[in-house]
Amino acid sequence: MNIGIIGLGSIGASLAGDWRQAGHVVVGVSRRQSTCDLAIERGFIDRGSTDLEILTGLDVLVICTPIADILPTLARSIAVIDPETIVTDVGSVKEAIVAPATKIRSNFIGGHPMAGKATSGIEAAELGMFAGKPYVLTPLESTPQRAIDLLTQLAIDLNARLDLAAPTEHDRAVAWISHLPVMVSASLIDACTQEQDRSVLGLAQKLASSGFKDTSRVGGGNPELGMMMARYNQAAILDAIAIYRQQLDRLEQAISTNQWAEVTAILEHTQNARPDFVKVPIP
Ligand code: NAP
Protein backbone atom coordinates (compact mmCIF):
# COMPACT_ATOMS: atom_id res chain seq x y z
CA MET A 1 0.00 0.00 0.00
CA ASN A 2 0.99 3.64 -0.40
CA ILE A 3 0.56 5.32 2.98
CA GLY A 4 0.77 9.01 3.86
CA ILE A 5 1.33 10.20 7.41
CA ILE A 6 0.84 13.79 8.58
CA GLY A 7 2.53 14.59 11.91
CA LEU A 8 5.78 12.68 12.39
CA GLY A 9 5.71 12.60 16.20
CA SER A 10 5.77 9.71 18.66
CA ILE A 11 2.68 8.05 17.16
CA GLY A 12 3.02 9.09 13.49
CA ALA A 13 6.69 8.14 13.07
CA SER A 14 6.23 4.87 15.01
CA LEU A 15 3.31 3.85 12.78
CA ALA A 16 5.28 4.87 9.70
CA GLY A 17 8.27 2.76 10.74
CA ASP A 18 6.21 -0.36 11.45
CA TRP A 19 4.22 -0.09 8.23
CA ARG A 20 7.38 0.49 6.23
CA GLN A 21 8.90 -2.62 7.81
CA ALA A 22 5.74 -4.52 6.81
CA GLY A 23 6.50 -3.65 3.16
CA HIS A 24 4.36 -0.55 2.61
CA VAL A 25 5.64 2.65 1.01
CA VAL A 26 5.30 5.53 3.48
CA VAL A 27 5.51 9.25 2.76
CA GLY A 28 5.46 11.71 5.63
CA VAL A 29 4.54 15.34 6.18
CA SER A 30 5.50 17.23 9.30
CA ARG A 31 5.69 20.86 10.39
CA ARG A 32 9.48 21.04 10.45
CA GLN A 33 11.80 19.91 7.65
CA SER A 34 14.33 18.72 10.29
CA THR A 35 11.72 16.22 11.54
CA CYS A 36 11.15 14.91 8.00
CA ASP A 37 14.92 14.56 7.51
CA LEU A 38 15.28 12.67 10.80
CA ALA A 39 12.36 10.38 9.87
CA ILE A 40 14.12 9.47 6.60
CA GLU A 41 17.49 9.04 8.34
CA ARG A 42 15.96 6.67 10.91
CA GLY A 43 14.17 4.68 8.21
CA PHE A 44 10.64 5.56 9.37
CA ILE A 45 9.56 6.97 5.98
CA ASP A 46 10.59 6.69 2.32
CA ARG A 47 10.06 10.36 1.50
CA GLY A 48 9.14 13.41 3.55
CA SER A 49 8.21 17.07 3.17
CA THR A 50 6.61 20.00 4.96
CA ASP A 51 4.41 20.38 1.88
CA LEU A 52 1.09 18.51 1.62
CA GLU A 53 1.62 18.30 -2.18
CA ILE A 54 3.70 15.16 -1.56
CA LEU A 55 0.50 13.27 -0.56
CA THR A 56 -0.67 12.06 -3.98
CA GLY A 57 -1.28 8.48 -5.17
CA LEU A 58 -2.09 7.25 -1.65
CA ASP A 59 -4.26 4.31 -0.60
CA VAL A 60 -4.57 5.77 2.87
CA LEU A 61 -3.76 9.01 4.66
CA VAL A 62 -3.24 8.87 8.43
CA ILE A 63 -3.51 12.16 10.31
CA CYS A 64 -1.28 12.00 13.41
CA THR A 65 -1.20 15.65 14.50
CA PRO A 66 -2.28 16.89 17.95
CA ILE A 67 -6.07 16.59 18.37
CA ALA A 68 -6.86 20.28 17.75
CA ASP A 69 -5.08 20.14 14.37
CA ILE A 70 -6.81 17.01 13.01
CA LEU A 71 -9.88 18.63 11.43
CA PRO A 72 -8.02 21.70 10.04
CA THR A 73 -5.35 19.33 8.63
CA LEU A 74 -8.03 17.16 7.01
CA ALA A 75 -9.70 20.22 5.49
CA ARG A 76 -6.36 21.38 4.02
CA SER A 77 -5.28 17.96 2.75
CA ILE A 78 -8.46 17.09 0.77
CA ALA A 79 -7.50 19.69 -1.80
CA VAL A 80 -4.39 17.62 -2.54
CA ILE A 81 -5.14 13.92 -2.03
CA ASP A 82 -6.84 11.63 -4.57
CA PRO A 83 -10.65 11.24 -4.21
CA GLU A 84 -10.38 7.49 -3.49
CA THR A 85 -7.72 7.82 -0.76
CA ILE A 86 -9.09 6.54 2.56
CA VAL A 87 -8.46 8.97 5.41
CA THR A 88 -8.08 8.09 9.06
CA ASP A 89 -6.72 9.72 12.22
CA VAL A 90 -5.14 8.53 15.47
CA GLY A 91 -6.68 11.05 17.88
CA SER A 92 -7.27 9.94 21.47
CA VAL A 93 -10.87 11.21 21.30
CA LYS A 94 -13.33 10.24 18.61
CA GLU A 95 -16.75 11.89 18.98
CA ALA A 96 -15.42 15.42 18.42
CA ILE A 97 -13.58 14.26 15.30
CA VAL A 98 -15.47 11.49 13.50
CA ALA A 99 -18.79 13.18 12.62
CA PRO A 100 -17.28 16.48 11.39
CA ALA A 101 -14.47 14.64 9.59
CA THR A 102 -16.99 12.40 7.83
CA LYS A 103 -18.88 15.50 6.67
CA ILE A 104 -15.65 16.83 5.16
CA ARG A 105 -14.65 13.45 3.68
CA SER A 106 -17.15 10.58 3.34
CA ASN A 107 -14.42 7.91 3.22
CA PHE A 108 -12.99 8.96 6.59
CA ILE A 109 -12.73 6.35 9.36
CA GLY A 110 -11.78 7.22 12.94
CA GLY A 111 -8.94 5.27 14.55
CA HIS A 112 -7.06 5.14 17.83
CA PRO A 113 -3.91 3.04 18.18
CA MET A 114 -3.67 2.80 21.96
CA ALA A 115 -0.01 2.93 22.82
CA GLY A 116 2.09 5.82 23.93
CA LYS A 117 5.07 7.06 25.86
CA ALA A 118 5.67 9.77 28.45
CA THR A 119 7.88 11.61 25.95
CA SER A 120 6.72 13.19 22.71
CA GLY A 121 8.00 14.12 19.25
CA ILE A 122 9.92 12.00 16.77
CA GLU A 123 12.63 11.28 19.35
CA ALA A 124 10.04 9.19 21.22
CA ALA A 125 9.15 7.10 18.14
CA GLU A 126 10.09 3.44 18.13
CA LEU A 127 9.41 0.27 16.15
CA GLY A 128 7.00 -2.31 17.57
CA MET A 129 5.18 0.18 19.83
CA PHE A 130 1.71 -1.12 18.90
CA ALA A 131 2.33 -4.87 19.02
CA GLY A 132 -0.19 -6.52 21.32
CA LYS A 133 -1.88 -3.16 22.03
CA PRO A 134 -5.47 -2.22 21.11
CA TYR A 135 -6.19 -0.44 17.81
CA VAL A 136 -9.76 0.89 17.92
CA LEU A 137 -11.67 1.77 14.75
CA THR A 138 -14.85 3.83 15.08
CA PRO A 139 -16.76 3.41 11.79
CA LEU A 140 -20.18 4.98 11.31
CA GLU A 141 -22.99 3.26 9.39
CA SER A 142 -22.03 5.33 6.37
CA THR A 143 -18.32 4.36 6.52
CA PRO A 144 -17.33 2.46 3.34
CA GLN A 145 -16.46 -1.21 3.93
CA ARG A 146 -13.22 -0.63 1.99
CA ALA A 147 -12.09 1.80 4.72
CA ILE A 148 -12.78 -0.76 7.46
CA ASP A 149 -11.02 -3.53 5.52
CA LEU A 150 -7.97 -1.44 4.74
CA LEU A 151 -7.49 -0.21 8.31
CA THR A 152 -8.09 -3.72 9.62
CA GLN A 153 -5.19 -4.93 7.47
CA LEU A 154 -2.95 -2.09 8.67
CA ALA A 155 -3.76 -2.90 12.32
CA ILE A 156 -2.88 -6.55 11.63
CA ASP A 157 0.43 -5.41 10.11
CA LEU A 158 1.24 -3.73 13.45
CA ASN A 159 0.37 -6.94 15.34
CA ALA A 160 -2.15 -4.79 17.20
CA ARG A 161 -5.43 -6.03 18.72
CA LEU A 162 -8.30 -4.68 16.61
CA ASP A 163 -11.51 -3.42 18.23
CA LEU A 164 -14.54 -1.68 16.74
CA ALA A 165 -16.60 0.80 18.75
CA ALA A 166 -18.99 3.70 18.29
CA PRO A 167 -17.23 7.06 18.82
CA THR A 168 -19.25 7.87 21.98
CA GLU A 169 -18.63 4.45 23.51
CA HIS A 170 -14.94 4.78 22.72
CA ASP A 171 -14.76 8.17 24.43
CA ARG A 172 -16.57 6.96 27.56
CA ALA A 173 -14.38 3.87 27.78
CA VAL A 174 -11.09 5.73 27.33
CA ALA A 175 -12.24 8.33 29.87
CA TRP A 176 -12.09 5.51 32.45
CA ILE A 177 -8.91 3.75 31.47
CA SER A 178 -6.81 6.46 29.83
CA HIS A 179 -8.00 10.01 30.48
CA LEU A 180 -9.01 9.64 34.17
CA PRO A 181 -5.68 7.91 34.94
CA VAL A 182 -3.81 10.88 33.45
CA MET A 183 -5.68 13.30 35.74
CA VAL A 184 -5.35 11.03 38.80
CA SER A 185 -1.66 10.44 38.17
CA ALA A 186 -1.05 14.16 37.60
CA SER A 187 -2.88 14.96 40.85
CA LEU A 188 -0.77 12.39 42.67
CA ILE A 189 2.47 14.05 41.54
CA ASP A 190 1.00 17.47 42.33
CA ALA A 191 -0.02 16.34 45.83
CA CYS A 192 3.48 15.00 46.56
CA THR A 193 5.02 18.35 45.62
CA GLN A 194 2.86 19.98 48.34
CA GLU A 195 5.03 18.44 51.11
CA GLN A 196 6.27 21.48 53.01
CA ASP A 197 9.17 19.87 54.89
CA ARG A 198 12.07 20.04 52.42
CA SER A 199 13.96 17.16 53.99
CA VAL A 200 10.84 14.90 53.86
CA LEU A 201 10.25 15.94 50.26
CA GLY A 202 13.89 15.20 49.39
CA LEU A 203 13.68 11.80 51.08
CA ALA A 204 10.43 10.97 49.25
CA GLN A 205 12.05 11.87 45.94
CA LYS A 206 15.02 9.65 46.82
CA LEU A 207 12.86 6.70 47.92
CA ALA A 208 10.40 6.83 44.99
CA SER A 209 10.71 3.48 43.25
CA SER A 210 8.66 1.04 41.17
CA GLY A 211 5.24 1.79 42.75
CA PHE A 212 5.60 5.52 42.23
CA LYS A 213 7.07 4.95 38.77
CA ASP A 214 3.96 2.95 37.76
CA THR A 215 1.40 5.32 39.26
CA SER A 216 3.05 8.56 38.11
CA ARG A 217 3.94 7.58 34.53
CA VAL A 218 0.90 8.90 32.69
CA GLY A 219 0.71 12.04 34.85
CA GLY A 220 4.26 12.91 33.87
CA GLY A 221 3.58 12.78 30.12
CA ASN A 222 2.95 15.34 27.37
CA PRO A 223 0.94 18.24 28.97
CA GLU A 224 -0.56 19.29 25.61
CA LEU A 225 -1.95 15.78 25.02
CA GLY A 226 -3.45 15.63 28.54
CA MET A 227 -5.10 19.02 28.09
CA MET A 228 -6.55 17.95 24.73
CA MET A 229 -8.00 14.77 26.29
CA ALA A 230 -9.77 16.92 28.90
CA ARG A 231 -10.88 19.55 26.39
CA TYR A 232 -12.21 17.22 23.71
CA ASN A 233 -13.62 14.53 26.03
CA GLN A 234 -14.86 16.95 28.67
CA ALA A 235 -18.26 15.40 29.54
CA ALA A 236 -16.99 11.83 29.90
CA ILE A 237 -13.89 12.84 31.86
CA LEU A 238 -15.97 14.98 34.26
CA ASP A 239 -18.32 12.02 34.89
CA ALA A 240 -15.31 9.79 35.61
CA ILE A 241 -13.66 12.34 37.93
CA ALA A 242 -16.94 12.70 39.91
CA ILE A 243 -17.17 8.95 40.54
CA TYR A 244 -13.47 8.79 41.34
CA ARG A 245 -13.87 11.57 43.90
CA GLN A 246 -16.73 9.61 45.55
CA GLN A 247 -14.49 6.54 45.81
CA LEU A 248 -11.66 8.57 47.33
CA ASP A 249 -14.11 10.12 49.83
CA ARG A 250 -15.31 6.63 50.76
CA LEU A 251 -11.74 5.52 51.46
CA GLU A 252 -10.97 8.69 53.39
CA GLN A 253 -14.11 8.24 55.51
CA ALA A 254 -13.25 4.61 56.28
CA ILE A 255 -9.64 5.44 57.19
CA SER A 256 -10.51 8.44 59.35
CA THR A 257 -13.09 6.44 61.33
CA ASN A 258 -10.85 3.38 61.80
CA GLN A 259 -13.12 1.14 59.69
CA TRP A 260 -10.34 -1.26 58.79
CA ALA A 261 -12.74 -3.98 57.62
CA GLU A 262 -14.23 -1.48 55.18
CA VAL A 263 -10.77 -0.48 53.93
CA THR A 264 -9.92 -4.17 53.46
CA ALA A 265 -13.22 -4.79 51.65
CA ILE A 266 -12.53 -1.93 49.23
CA LEU A 267 -8.99 -3.16 48.53
CA GLU A 268 -10.20 -6.77 48.11
CA HIS A 269 -12.76 -5.56 45.59
CA THR A 270 -10.10 -3.63 43.63
CA GLN A 271 -7.67 -6.56 43.78
CA ASN A 272 -10.35 -8.80 42.23
CA ALA A 273 -11.46 -6.21 39.66
CA ARG A 274 -8.03 -5.28 38.30
CA PRO A 275 -7.53 -8.46 36.17
CA ASP A 276 -10.76 -7.60 34.31
CA PHE A 277 -8.98 -4.50 33.01
CA VAL A 278 -5.36 -5.67 32.90
CA LYS A 279 -5.49 -9.15 31.42
CA VAL A 280 -1.86 -9.62 30.51
CA PRO A 281 1.25 -8.25 32.13
CA ILE A 282 1.80 -4.81 30.55
CA PRO A 283 5.46 -3.74 30.42
P1 NAP B 1 3.68 14.36 19.26
O1 NAP B 1 4.68 13.35 19.68
O2 NAP B 1 3.72 15.71 19.83
O3 NAP B 1 3.74 14.42 17.66
C1 NAP B 1 2.99 15.26 16.85
C2 NAP B 1 3.97 15.81 15.81
O4 NAP B 1 3.25 16.31 14.72
C3 NAP B 1 4.77 17.00 16.34
O5 NAP B 1 5.96 16.53 16.90
C4 NAP B 1 4.99 17.88 15.11
O6 NAP B 1 6.25 17.57 14.53
C5 NAP B 1 3.91 17.42 14.15
N1 NAP B 1 2.87 18.40 13.95
C6 NAP B 1 2.22 19.13 14.89
N2 NAP B 1 1.28 19.88 14.31
C7 NAP B 1 1.32 19.60 12.99
C8 NAP B 1 0.60 20.06 11.86
N3 NAP B 1 -0.37 20.94 12.00
N4 NAP B 1 0.92 19.54 10.65
C9 NAP B 1 1.90 18.63 10.51
N5 NAP B 1 2.63 18.18 11.53
C10 NAP B 1 2.33 18.66 12.76
O7 NAP B 1 2.20 13.82 19.54
P2 NAP B 1 1.73 12.29 19.63
O8 NAP B 1 1.87 11.83 21.01
O9 NAP B 1 2.37 11.53 18.52
O10 NAP B 1 0.17 12.48 19.36
C11 NAP B 1 -0.31 12.66 18.05
C12 NAP B 1 -1.75 12.18 18.00
O11 NAP B 1 -1.79 10.85 18.47
C13 NAP B 1 -2.71 12.99 18.87
O12 NAP B 1 -3.88 13.24 18.15
C14 NAP B 1 -2.98 12.07 20.04
O13 NAP B 1 -4.27 12.23 20.58
C15 NAP B 1 -2.81 10.70 19.43
N6 NAP B 1 -2.37 9.65 20.35
C16 NAP B 1 -1.37 9.87 21.24
C17 NAP B 1 -0.99 8.84 22.10
C18 NAP B 1 0.12 9.04 23.11
O14 NAP B 1 0.09 8.42 24.16
N7 NAP B 1 1.11 9.87 22.82
C19 NAP B 1 -1.59 7.58 22.01
C20 NAP B 1 -2.57 7.38 21.05
C21 NAP B 1 -2.97 8.41 20.22
P3 NAP B 1 7.35 18.66 14.11
O15 NAP B 1 6.93 20.00 14.67
O16 NAP B 1 8.60 18.13 14.73
O17 NAP B 1 7.37 18.62 12.63
Side-chain angles (χ1 to χ4, degrees):
M1 269 186 231
N2 288 315
I3 301 172
I5 306 262
I6 307 181
L8 296 169
S10 70
I11 300 297
S14 300
L15 286 170
D18 277 356
W19 283 329
R20 196 163 176 251
Q21 284 234 323
H24 302 294
V25 174
V26 184
V27 296
V29 170
S30 215
R31 233 172 4 188
R32 292 179 297 167
Q33 186 58 45
S34 56
T35 301
C36 301
D37 295 343
L38 196 57
I40 294 169
E41 192 185 309
R42 302 225 167 138
F44 292 136
I45 57 173
D46 292 278
R47 292 180 295 124
S49 172
T50 56
D51 192 339
L52 294 172
E53 298 286 337
I54 197 176
L55 300 171
T56 53
L58 300 178
D59 296 295
V60 62
L61 172 65
V62 189
I63 302 177
C64 302
T65 63
I67 294 169
D69 290 335
I70 292 174
L71 290 172
T73 300
L74 171 65
R76 281 205 318 277
S77 56
I78 53 166
V80 174
I81 59 175
D82 301 344
E84 63 275 11
T85 299
I86 300 294
V87 184
T88 187
D89 75 313
V90 298
S92 311
V93 302
K94 298 273 57 94
E95 203 183 355
I97 292 171
V98 175
T102 306
K103 279 204 185 99
I104 298 172
R105 180 84 176 184
S106 61
N107 58 5
F108 177 90
I109 177 167
H112 183 195
M114 295 189 62
K117 295 176 72 180
T119 45
S120 58
I122 193 166
E123 296 293 347
E126 64 183 30
L127 295 179
M129 192 191 279
F130 307 97
K133 305 282 165 54
Y135 197 127
V136 189
L137 297 178
T138 59
L140 304 177
E141 273 186 20
S142 63
T143 307
Q145 187 60 40
R146 182 168 159 261
I148 301 173
D149 294 345
L150 197 141
L151 263 298
T152 298
Q153 183 55 52
L154 289 178
I156 291 169
D157 290 341
L158 299 170
N159 293 314
R161 294 191 280 123
L162 184 74
D163 271 296
L164 298 184
T168 321
E169 277 180 8
H170 165 277
D171 287 2
R172 287 176 56 199
V174 297
W176 284 119
I177 53 80
S178 176
H179 302 174
L180 177 64
V182 169
M183 301 309 154
V184 169
S185 174
S187 303
L188 167 69
I189 300 169
D190 229 358
C192 293
T193 65
Q194 305 295 313
E195 171 56 57
Q196 295 300 305
D197 186 325
R198 292 187 67 79
S199 73
V200 173
L201 180 61
L203 185 61
Q205 288 167 340
K206 205 164 113 189
L207 298 181
S209 186
S210 52
F212 193 79
K213 194 175 166 193
D214 289 347
T215 49
S216 67
R217 184 177 69 82
V218 293
N222 181 355
E224 188 192 18
L225 179 60
M227 181 277 287
M228 299 259 187
M229 289 170 172
R231 181 173 170 190
Y232 291 95
N233 200 15
Q234 191 183 28
I237 205 168
L238 284 176
D239 285 348
I241 288 174
I243 306 279
Y244 179 73
R245 182 177 284 122
Q246 282 173 20
Q247 295 306 119
L248 207 53
D249 287 347
R250 201 177 141 211
L251 260 177
E252 184 187 31
Q253 168 73 13
I255 293 168
S256 65
T257 52
N258 298 323
Q259 293 181 61
W260 307 122
E262 170 73 356
V263 174
T264 306
I266 293 170
L267 296 179
E268 278 175 357
H269 170 70
T270 59
Q271 185 185 43
N272 290 332
R274 185 171 185 262
D276 292 338
F277 293 90
V278 185
K279 292 173 192 68
V280 288
I282 291 178

